[in-house]
Amino acid sequence: MKTSSDPRHLKRARKVFKLFAQSFIPGFTTPGDEYIHQAAPDWPVSNINKIDLAILRVATDELVNSDTPVKVVIDEAIEIAKKYGAENSGSFINGVLGTILKNKEII
């Protein structure tokens, strides 16, 4: 059973905090930004809430570059968003990650 003290959960949260800090560096991008841009074209990456963007970057990297089950990646991202993001962050992140997953299957 997953808990907030699960080492994998804490590792993801640390990655989010690191990417959050790096998001203040002018011009900073990640390879996952293109996936995020394609999944949320109405929301330029530069206009997405920085904590939401950090969560999306971590989750996108995991969706694209690991064999972690999709459900785990999305659930973890939503849990982190609920804890650190805005009121609607969880649903926004869920929608973007769902679209990334659909687009990934097409690629």
Side-chain angles (χ1 to χ4, degrees), residues 1-19:
M1 176 181 223
K2 181 190 75 137
T3 66
S4 61
S5 62
D6 182 298
R8 294 167 295 189
H9 178 78
L10 296 173
K11 183 178 177 182
R12 285 182 183 99
R14 283 191 298 273
K15 285 181 181 180
V16 167
F17 300 147
K18 181 179 178 181
L19 284 172

Side-chain angles (χ1 to χ4, degrees), residues 24-60:
F24 290 94
I25 299 170
F28 176 78
T29 62
T30 68
D33 288 1
E34 184 57 32
Y35 286 97
I36 296 166
H37 169 72
Q38 290 175 10
D42 294 338
W43 290 89
V45 171
S46 61
N47 291 350
I48 296 175
N49 175 318
K50 291 192 184 307
I51 192 69
D52 292 352
L53 181 57
I55 295 165
L56 284 168
R57 285 173 165 165
V58 169
T60 299

Side-chain angles (χ1 to χ4, degrees), residues 31-33 35-36 55-65 73 96-97 100:
D33 288 1
Y35 286 97
I36 296 166
I55 295 165
L56 284 168
R57 285 173 165 165
V58 169
T60 299
D61 179 62
E62 203 166 354
L63 282 176
V64 174
N65 299 313
V73 174
V96 173
L97 293 177
I100 288 171

